[in-house]
């Protein structure tokens, strides 16, 4: 199989939402998640090539540490749903998912089945910890992914996985600040694991497996916003218990390649005011956020179309860049400062 070397951008995925095919109109995850019975758990662990940790979680946790667990569970629900659908589509040779070469079919399916089971254990790890701390488990929603063939599915996986890897940096940082050191080790075990998955997705796209020397960082609210792009609005039983921020949608209309160029973005600005300047701010690798002036092209009601430089050459902006429309030029000390000034985002850009 050759999944061509696309330079892809999936931005504020909300804009891709469309009607759900009947077969996916369900809010149930496979294998009894989030509360599998002992036989189901045993089967998941066999498929995952390993087990949930049998060490107990720490006796206490900070309030913000709980939000970390909620966001991880919210994300893992979505990942489980995605890989479950993908395996279904490949196995049933749904249009666009037919892998003709027998050996490739077997290899890819074996990898994806292990990834699904491993994601199921990540989900259980987070939700079981919430239950241990006497909090509600985060329940699955109804999901619609903006993909329709194997190539777009792998492209999406290789876009949400680096976003997760960016976000888990914020999670570990927040655990550290909150004194939750007992949870930091397990999260970094997941960070490495998701990185292995990302290497596999990149190889399927004929890219080199390792994206960057230091992966792009992120902030929880950006992931929380982006993940809602996969969700049928109103279908999440207890998303309201997650006290994170949801930004306005931002779509990158012209995905950049590996050179400096202007890109066009579209976003929702309910309080649009032509006299206020806006900027497009990029988070890439572990560098200080890059701020570019945003030039408004047009606005109609709430939708604004605008243009800004993607300054690839001066910054070697490979891998994931998280773009955000900010109401300040900064300078921003870090990704959290960008989130505080964000109006719309994240726009997700991946180069090389
Ligand atoms: C599975 O295939 C259906 C039908 O084409 C599509 O709507 C759905 O997005 C696909 N899901 C994944 C994860 O590939």
């Amino acid at each position: 199989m050759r999944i061509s070397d696309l330079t892809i951008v999936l931005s504020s995925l909300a804009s891709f939402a469309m009607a759900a095919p009947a077969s996916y109109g369900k809010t149930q995850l496979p294998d009894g998640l989030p509360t599998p019975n002992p036989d189901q758990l045993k089967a998941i662990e066999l498929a995952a090539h390993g087990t949930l940790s049998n060490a107990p979680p720490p006796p206490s946790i900070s309030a913000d540490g709980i939000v970390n667990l909620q966001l991880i569970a919210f994300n893992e629900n979505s990942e489980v749903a995605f890989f479950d659908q993908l395996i279904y589509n490949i196995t049933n040779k749904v249009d666009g998912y037919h892998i003709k070469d027998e050996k490739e079919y077997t290899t890819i399916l074996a990898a994806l089945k292990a990834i699904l089971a491993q994601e199921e254990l990540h989900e259980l790890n987070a939700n079981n910890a919430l239950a241990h701390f006497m909090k509600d488990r985060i329940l699955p929603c109804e999901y619609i992914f903006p993909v329709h063939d194997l190539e777009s599915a792998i492209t999406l996986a290789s876009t949400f996985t680096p976003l997760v890897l960016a976000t888990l940096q914020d999670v570990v940082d927040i655990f550290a600040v909150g004194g939750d050191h007992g949870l930091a080790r397990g999260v970094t075990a997941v960070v490495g694991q998701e990185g292995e998955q990302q290497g596999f997705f990149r190889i399927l796209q004929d890219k080199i497996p390792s994206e960057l020397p230091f992966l792009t960082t992120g902030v929880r609210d950006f992931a929380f916003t982006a993940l809602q792009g996969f969700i049928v609005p109103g279908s999440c039983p207890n998303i309201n218990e997650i006290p994170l921020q949801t930004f306005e949608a931002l779509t990158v209309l012209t995905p950049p390649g590996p050179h400096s160029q202007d890109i066009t973005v579209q976003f929702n600005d309910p309080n649009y005011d032509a006299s206020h300047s806006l900027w497009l701010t990029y988070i890439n690798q572990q560098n200080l956020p890059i701020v570019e002036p945003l030039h408004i092209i047009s606005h109609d009601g709430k939708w604004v179309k605008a243009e800004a430089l993607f300054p690839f050459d001066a910054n070697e902006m490979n891998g994931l860049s998280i773009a955000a429309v900010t109401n300040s030029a900064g300078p921003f000390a870090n990704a959290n400062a960008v989130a505080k000034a964000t109006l719309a985002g994240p726009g997700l850009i991946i180069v090389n």
Side-chain angles (χ1 to χ4, degrees):
M1 180 184 61
R2 276 186 62 92
I3 291 185
S4 62
D5 188 40
L6 285 180
T7 294
I8 36 104
V9 169
L10 286 161
S11 3
S12 219
L13 300 150
S15 50
F16 290 92
M18 55 190 120
S23 50
Y24 299 113
K26 53 177 191 183
T27 54
Q28 255 175 357
L29 296 180
D31 304 319
L33 256 61
T35 47
N37 65 34
D39 287 345
Q40 287 172 315
L41 177 59
K42 186 77 210 152
I44 296 170
E45 290 182 330
L46 279 171
H49 293 222
T51 65
L52 276 179
S53 168
N54 56 8
S60 64
I61 186 170
S62 70
D64 225 1
I66 289 291
V67 183
N68 279 344
L69 294 176
Q70 290 176 319
L71 178 64
I72 292 173
F74 183 70
N75 169 63
E76 295 293 350
N77 283 339
S78 165
E79 292 205 55
V80 168
F82 176 86
F83 290 111
D84 186 43
Q85 278 190 22
L86 182 55
I87 290 168
Y88 175 94
N89 287 354
I90 294 174
T91 312
N92 291 284
K93 303 186 169 33
V94 167
D95 249 9
Y97 290 86
H98 193 173
I99 305 173
K100 292 201 187 66
D101 185 286
E102 192 65 33
K103 188 158 170 271
E104 269 170 1
Y105 175 84
T106 312
T107 314
I108 291 174
L109 212 51
L112 289 174
K113 283 182 174 169
I115 288 174
L116 169 62
Q118 289 160 348
E119 296 294 2
E120 290 179 316
L121 294 186
H122 297 169
E123 197 268 8
L124 290 171
N125 190 44
N127 260 337
N128 289 352
L130 284 170
H132 164 89
F133 295 118
M134 314 297 275
K135 299 288 173 192
D136 291 339
R137 290 182 166 87
I138 297 302
L139 300 172
C141 317
E142 236 179 89
Y143 300 94
I144 301 174
F145 299 100
V147 298
H148 46 269
D149 56 24
L150 186 58
E151 182 175 326
S152 57
I154 296 298
T155 298
L156 181 61
S158 74
T159 305
F160 67 63
T161 303
L163 182 64
V164 171
L165 289 167
T167 311
L168 291 179
Q169 297 173 36
D170 197 31
V171 162
V172 173
D173 192 88
I174 289 165
F175 277 148
V177 171
D180 297 320
H181 68 89
L183 292 159
R185 198 177 288 262
V187 172
T188 47
V190 171
V191 170
Q193 201 281 341
E194 301 263 351
E196 291 179 328
Q197 292 185 33
Q198 177 68 350
F200 168 65
F201 303 141
R202 289 176 54 86
I203 285 189
L204 289 180
Q205 297 174 299
D206 292 329
K207 295 181 174 182
I208 58 165
S210 53
E211 192 168 302
L212 289 164
F214 300 97
L215 297 184
T216 295
T217 197
V219 172
R220 294 185 305 188
D221 307 275
F222 285 136
F224 186 60
T225 302
L227 286 167
Q228 289 178 63
F230 302 143
I231 281 166
V232 177
S235 72
C236 300
N238 61 351
I239 189 176
N240 59 305
E241 293 179 25
I242 308 176
L244 290 172
Q245 199 181 343
T246 303
F247 301 109
E248 296 292 345
L250 171 66
T251 307
V252 180
L253 297 175
T254 55
H259 51 91
S260 294
Q261 67 214 268
D262 285 333
I263 62 169
T264 307
V265 299
Q266 179 173 286
F267 57 99
N268 189 1
D269 185 353
N271 307 313
Y272 179 75
D273 178 347
S275 66
H276 285 177
S277 296
L278 294 171
W279 290 265
L280 195 63
T281 301
Y282 301 94
I283 301 162
N284 179 253
Q285 305 179 59
Q286 296 287 315
N287 291 319
L288 293 171
I290 300 163
V291 183
E292 294 294 338
L294 195 58
H295 308 287
I296 306 297
I297 301 170
S298 65
H299 65 98
D300 103 61
K302 55 182 200 169
W303 288 105
V304 181
K305 212 182 255 190
E307 203 174 56
L309 179 67
F310 177 70
F312 179 92
D313 297 335
N315 304 282
E316 211 183 333
M317 290 170 79
N318 283 313
L320 174 69
S321 290
I322 295 175
V325 175
T326 53
N327 55 26
S328 149
F332 300 110
N334 51 41
N336 293 81
V338 175
K340 283 205 185 77
T342 290
L343 169 70
L348 305 180
I349 298 170
I350 295 190
V351 174
N352 288 326

